[in-house]
Each structure stands twice: as structure tokens, then as C-alpha cells.
Amino acid sequence: MNKRIYLDHSATTYTKPEVLEEMLPVFNEYFGNPSSIYSYGREAKRLVDKARDRVAKALNALPEEIFFTAGGSEADNWALRGVAYANKERGNHIITSKIEHHAILHTCQQLEKEGFKVTYLPVDKYGMVSLEDLKNSITDETILISIMYANNEIGTIQPIDEIGKIAKESKIYFHTDAVQAVGNIKIDVKEQNIDLLSLSAHKFYGPKGVGALYIKKGTRITNLITGGGQERGRRAGTENVPGIVGLGKAIELATENIDSYNEKLLKLRTKLINGIMERIPYTLVNGHPEKRLPGNANFCFKYIEGESLLLNLDMKGIAASSGSACTSGSLDPSHVLLAIGLPHEIAHGSLRLTLGEENTEEDIDYVLEVLPEIVQRLRDMSPLYEKVKGGNQ
Amino acid sequence: MYSEKVMEHFTTPRNVGEIKDADGIGEVGNAKCGDIMKIYLKIENDIIKDVKFKTFGCGAAIATSSIATELIKGKTVEEALKLTNKAVVEALDGLPPQKIHCSVLAEEAVKAAIEDYKKKHNK
Ligand SMILES: Cc1ncc(COP(=O)(O)O)c(C=O)c1O
Ligand SMILES: [Zn+2]
């Protein structure tokens, strides 16, 4: 095997050469601590400030509203805990959805143990929350709504503008986990009434382990990481300057190229989805038909299991992911696939292909060539398929 | 994460298929938990002459099904009943801890098929 095709851009992306180029001198040339007063420190500080400006510009936020973190998970943890603790005398109720990333869900579960009440909004078969449900869930005690911008598994994009309006009218803070959205969707935090937003550089061709939380000026929030006075006293720890520089460059590139990137991915994705649906029977496409991330394709192939599918694809050089239980190490398949109403046995056969910058039409042709054979081979081995063939085909 | 032996059995599983006039059939697991294994036995004079399987499941489930059929082929029914999950895992040079639960199916499926055989043949 020499051919390798990466189709897991929602898991992570490579770091673009232009991004790496800006990062490299920060490791050895501009290595100062941004808190130091001498020139080394001032140089590093300037680089951090420049990155902050770039992030602010990409979101239409103010630079002083951007706080760097060690990634999306930290930003999510900070937004939830910080707002919950700072506003607990106003109320103890948080609204989120059933299909959030574990960085949100597990933090909410922890907050429940600490006495907060959490409503997990259901979603429809496309993975969409209902605005009616949201409105009906709001009580006098509600202090925070946290709904993800776009889902990492099925790609569904939530009605963020409308949620922002509802939150604003009800005077409730609105946080969105935009880790999968940044670089794929144009975001304007002012226009969209977003109070807090999480992002992570490695999802848009930046480095891993660095992200940011946008916190609208005036938001009541406690600190999560305590210690030194970095990030204007809000997030302790010597800054990951190379990472922050990389994040800044990556978000600038991503926002500049967002239209052409979208167009490219959409074209490839249409070819991929149509091609698979034409070639492989007993297949479902998960997620919303239109309101979905441009590079996201998510399928369930009935009668087979996701991990064996991934292993077979890997042997053919294709990197993909699945929401099957056996890939997660638990007995249950992905909570997202269950939330959109799929039965367990179908959710086990899921495959997520997420496209990116370097993918080509030939890559899609290759997938369309090898995937049907793999699915058929596994079906021929499956006792579930045997019943279908014998019965109601 | 899987041993070479597991991958080898996963990529070229032995004894996949069905036996039309099987003397015993065992099906265990359920689609809800993600792994189902079905074993077919052809038995003559208490000796397992042929065995085939079909499995819906992960890499570990398919590899354990495959090796279990190899371990019991040619054995007597009594010997096959002694097949343990531990023996299956050892024959595969081990499995990751979170995958052990997938391997118990093989032992259970063999036992279920033999039980079916005994019932059908009044043994
Ligand atoms: C929607 C979503 N939120 C949060 C995260 C966590 O981000 P990070 O890996 O940067 O901590 C991810 C990454 O997988 C994600 O997809
Ligand atoms: Zn398994």
C-alpha cells in the first residue's frame, strides 16, 4: 500500500506551510516570555497581540474579547463553569443539547453533580434543535444556553442567529462551541448575538493544543485556570506563543479563503454522497441535507459494523472515522447517532468522511472504487445481511 | 492496537460462511451491543467435521470468530465444549482490554451450537 488518503478533517487537519513558517522562528528566535519587560518579552508580546487581532477580526470581536486557551476542550470547560459559577446567585439552570461534544456534555454532567440543573434539548432526525423547545425550556433560573454551532459527527449546523436572538431577548448568556464551524462558516459574534464562543486551531490547519474563548465584554465569568496574571488576569499560564501565532495565521487564512474552500468541498462532497448512494444499497445519509458542514459526509451502512469498516479502509490507505461502539471503547454507539433516532444496530455501522484542503476528485473516485467492495465483503460475512437476502429484499 | 495475529485473522478469516445441513447452529450477541456471531457445525461420530461462521462486529469479533473455528475443527464435541475465552484470546496473541468483551462471544457461540446439536440429536 502506498496510496494514502486522509478523510478525517473533523478529527484534525495538518498545519499549513504558511502557518508553520510563521511559527518556527517563535521557537528559537522570538522565544521570550511575553510577560518579561525587556525586548525579548516585548517581541513575544507583540506576536501574541497580533494573533489576538487576527482572531478578533475573523469573528468581528474586539481584541480584548479574545482569550487564548489550550484548545477547544478548555474553552468549553471555561465557558460553562465560568458562567455557571459567576452567575449562580441569578439562577442554576443551563440549557444545552443532546448532541454536544463530550467537552460540553461531561462538563454539564459534572455541574449537575454540583447542584446545577441542565436541560439537554433533543434534536430531530437531521440533528437540529427546535427553537420552540428552546423557548419552552427557559425558566427564571436559566443563566446560560450552550448550543454547538456545527456538529462534529453529522455536520448539522444549528440555527445560531435565531438562538442568539432568543438568548438576547431573554437576557441569558449564549455560548456556542464553534470548534467545527470556524474556517467553514462566516461568523459575526456581534451580529449573531453570541456572548461566548469556543474555537480550536487544529481544525482549520493550525497547530494542536491551542484555541481561544471569545468572551463578550461585560460577561460575568470566573476564571478556570488560576495562577499568574496572563491574558489580562483571566487565564493563567505562560502563553503558548508559537501555537498562538499559528492560530492567528491559520484563522486569517481560513477566513480569507472561506468561499473558495466551501465551494471546493461542496463539489467533492456531492460527488462522494451521490456516488456512494448510487453504488451501495441499504445506506443512510446522516445529518441535514443542506444545513451541514461543507466537508462532512456521514453514512450508515446497514448490517455491518463501523470498526471493521475502518480497518478495511485503512488497509486501502483511507483514513476515516466511525461512531460505532467498538471504536469508542464503550458498549454504546455515538450519542449523536442515537439522538437523531437511529436504532443501535444501524448506528454501529456508521462512517464519517470529512473532506479538506488537499482532497481531489481522484480521491473521491478511489473511495467510490474501494468502498462498495469492502461493504459487500463485510455484509457477506454478516448474519444480519443473510436474513435480508433470504427475506424481504 | 491489534496484534499481527488478530489482523491476520481479520483480513483473511477462516471458515466464513454457512453450512446448509448443519447439525448444530448457535447464534449469540445482539445488534444492540454491536457484535453478533453465528456458528454452524457439521458433526459426525461426535467429531466436528466442519465449522463455518458469520459475524457482525468489530475487528476483534471477526478475528475471534475465525480463530475459534480453527481451534474446534476436528475436535470432539467434549473437547470443543472446553474452549474458553482465555484460550481464544491467547491464540490471538492477546486483545486490547476494552476488546475482551467481544471475544467472549466466540466461546458462547460454540457452546450454543453444541447445545443445539445435542438437543436436535437427543444427546
Ligand atoms: C465540536 C467540538 N468541540 C470541542 C472539541 C475539542 O477540541 P480540542 O480537541 O481542541 O480540545 C472538538 C474536537 O474534537 C469538537 O469537534
Ligand atoms: Zn467489538
Side-chain angles (χ1 to χ4, degrees), chain A residues 241-260:
Chain A
V241 187
I244 289 169
V245 166
L247 165 58
K249 181 64 179 174
I251 204 168
E252 186 178 85
L253 286 175
T255 19
E256 272 169 20
N257 301 326
I258 203 159
D259 289 326
S260 56

Side-chain angles (χ1 to χ4, degrees), chain A residues 19-325:
Chain A
V19 173
L20 191 59
E21 197 185 328
E22 285 206 17
M23 289 173 69
L24 285 175
V26 187
F27 285 98
N28 48 10
E29 205 172 323
Y30 309 114
F31 64 88
N33 186 323
S35 300
S36 305
I37 56 162
Y38 41 74
S39 65
Y40 294 88
R42 293 196 303 274
E43 281 162 11
K45 173 94 171 36
R46 242 187 325 262
L47 290 173
V48 172
D49 287 342
K50 182 174 170 194
R52 199 185 309 284
D53 288 344
R54 284 168 156 175
V55 176
K57 190 162 166 242
L59 303 174
N60 190 28
L62 301 169
E64 59 265 36
E65 294 175 319
I66 305 301
F67 298 87
F68 293 113
T69 66
S73 300
E74 186 194 323
D76 283 345
N77 273 259
W78 185 9
L80 294 176
R81 287 183 185 281
V83 170
Y85 298 153
N87 297 278
K88 62 170 184 269
E89 62 294 337
R90 293 185 187 182
N92 70 344
H93 180 228
I94 297 166
I95 301 173
T96 185
S97 83
K98 285 194 171 152
I99 61 163
E100 299 295 313
H101 189 270
H102 286 130
I104 295 288
L105 288 181
H106 290 167
T107 308
C108 282
Q109 286 157 10
Q110 204 56 43
L111 285 168
E112 282 185 280
K113 287 191 189 137
E114 296 171 27
F116 289 90
K117 292 202 163 56
V118 181
T119 300
Y120 301 90
L121 294 176
V123 293
D124 65 14
K125 64 176 176 180
Y126 300 119
M128 202 64 93
V129 299
S130 134
L131 297 172
E132 278 314 300
D133 283 351
L134 172 63
K135 283 185 207 156
N136 293 335
S137 307
I138 294 174
T139 71
D140 292 342
E141 295 287 313
T142 311
I143 49 177
L144 176 66
I145 296 169
S146 178
I147 303 285
M148 71 197 317
Y149 208 123
N151 185 265
N152 44 303
E153 290 186 41
I154 57 175
T156 303
I157 299 168
Q158 301 297 335
I160 294 300
D161 295 17
E162 288 80 5
I163 298 171
K165 270 192 210 119
I166 294 168
K168 190 181 176 194
E169 281 161 14
S170 320
K171 298 195 170 56
I172 297 166
Y173 288 127
F174 173 36
H175 165 253
T176 186
D177 174 345
V179 168
Q180 293 289 339
V182 172
N184 286 304
I185 304 169
K186 285 178 190 155
I187 297 176
D188 182 325
V189 291
K190 296 284 171 297
E191 190 82 18
Q192 297 176 286
N193 296 304
I194 297 167
D195 299 306
L196 303 108
L197 177 144
S198 306
L199 60 89
S200 183
H202 72 106
K203 307 287 187 182
F204 49 88
Y205 308 95
K208 293 166 187 52
V210 61
L213 181 64
Y214 151 78
I215 307 175
K216 188 182 171 180
K217 230 166 43 182
T219 300
R220 286 160 59 106
I221 182 167
T222 61
N223 292 349
L224 179 74
I225 309 289
T226 53
Q230 290 88 355
E231 295 296 278
R232 290 142 283 143
R234 302 290 277 280
R235 197 277 189 183
T238 300
E239 296 84 344
N240 171 7
V241 187
I244 289 169
V245 166
L247 165 58
K249 181 64 179 174
I251 204 168
E252 186 178 85
L253 286 175
T255 19
E256 272 169 20
N257 301 326
I258 203 159
D259 289 326
S260 56
Y261 184 60
N262 262 275
E263 206 176 305
K264 177 198 155 113
L265 296 192
L266 259 177
K267 195 159 160 248
L268 292 179
R269 189 190 71 196
T270 307
K271 179 180 164 100
L272 178 67
I273 292 183
N274 292 345
I276 286 179
M277 295 310 285
E278 276 163 23
R279 287 169 179 75
I280 309 180
Y282 309 113
T283 301
L284 311 175
V285 179
N286 302 313
H288 198 281
E290 291 108 37
K291 290 172 188 145
R292 73 187 298 145
L293 290 170
N296 174 291
N298 190 305
F299 306 93
C300 280
F301 301 105
K302 290 190 189 173
Y303 319 119
I304 63 172
E305 192 277 334
E307 190 206 75
S308 31
L309 185 56
L310 294 191
L311 291 169
N312 274 297
L313 284 169
D314 183 41
M315 288 186 294
K316 295 281 186 185
I318 299 170
S321 76
S322 167
S324 92

Side-chain angles (χ1 to χ4, degrees), chain A residues 352-372:
Chain A
R352 180 185 74 176
L353 301 171
T354 44
L355 308 170
E357 192 71 35
E358 76 285 9
N359 292 136
T360 61
E361 298 253 346
E362 290 75 56
D363 291 351
I364 307 299
D365 288 331
Y366 181 66
V367 173
L368 294 178
E369 182 193 318
V370 304
L371 184 61

Side-chain angles (χ1 to χ4, degrees), chain A residues 302-305 307-309 311-312 315 325-327 329-333 344-345 348-349 377-384 386-387 389, chain B residues 1-2 7 10-13 16-18 27 31-38 40 53-60 62 98-99 101-102:
Chain A
K302 290 190 189 173
Y303 319 119
I304 63 172
E305 192 277 334
E307 190 206 75
S308 31
L309 185 56
L311 291 169
N312 274 297
M315 288 186 294
C326 278
T327 54
S330 83
L331 278 176
D332 286 320
H344 273 70
E345 57 271 30
H348 284 300
R377 199 176 82 89
L378 289 171
R379 281 182 176 164
D380 286 341
M381 250 197 236
S382 166
L384 297 174
E386 177 184 309
K387 287 168 192 156
K389 272 194 314 184
Chain B
M1 71 170 197
Y2 285 133
M7 284 312 290
F10 172 71
T11 51
T12 49
V16 178
E18 298 160 45
E27 182 171 337
K32 212 176 163 198
C33 76
D35 294 311
I36 301 176
M37 186 176 171
K38 191 168 180 183
Y40 301 79
F53 81 91
K54 285 211 167 175
T55 291
F56 162 89
C58 64
I62 290 173
Q98 76 273 19
K99 290 291 181 180
H101 77 92
C102 311

Side-chain angles (χ1 to χ4, degrees), chain B residues 36-110:
Chain B
I36 301 176
M37 186 176 171
K38 191 168 180 183
I39 280 198
Y40 301 79
L41 299 176
K42 190 81 205 147
I43 298 174
E44 277 169 32
N45 300 326
D46 262 10
I47 290 178
I48 298 172
K49 285 284 177 197
D50 196 12
V51 45
K52 294 266 192 250
F53 81 91
K54 285 211 167 175
T55 291
F56 162 89
C58 64
I62 290 173
T64 49
S65 307
S66 165
I67 199 131
T69 60
E70 272 200 332
L71 289 171
I72 62 165
K73 200 168 177 175
K75 298 276 166 64
T76 65
V77 168
E78 288 318 305
E79 283 167 336
L81 273 175
K82 290 193 192 116
L83 178 78
T84 62
N85 165 45
K86 193 157 163 273
V88 169
V89 175
E90 271 167 14
L92 285 171
D93 297 338
L95 275 176
Q98 76 273 19
K99 290 291 181 180
I100 297 296
H101 77 92
C102 311
S103 70
V104 299
L105 285 186
E107 178 191 330
E108 288 172 3
V110 170

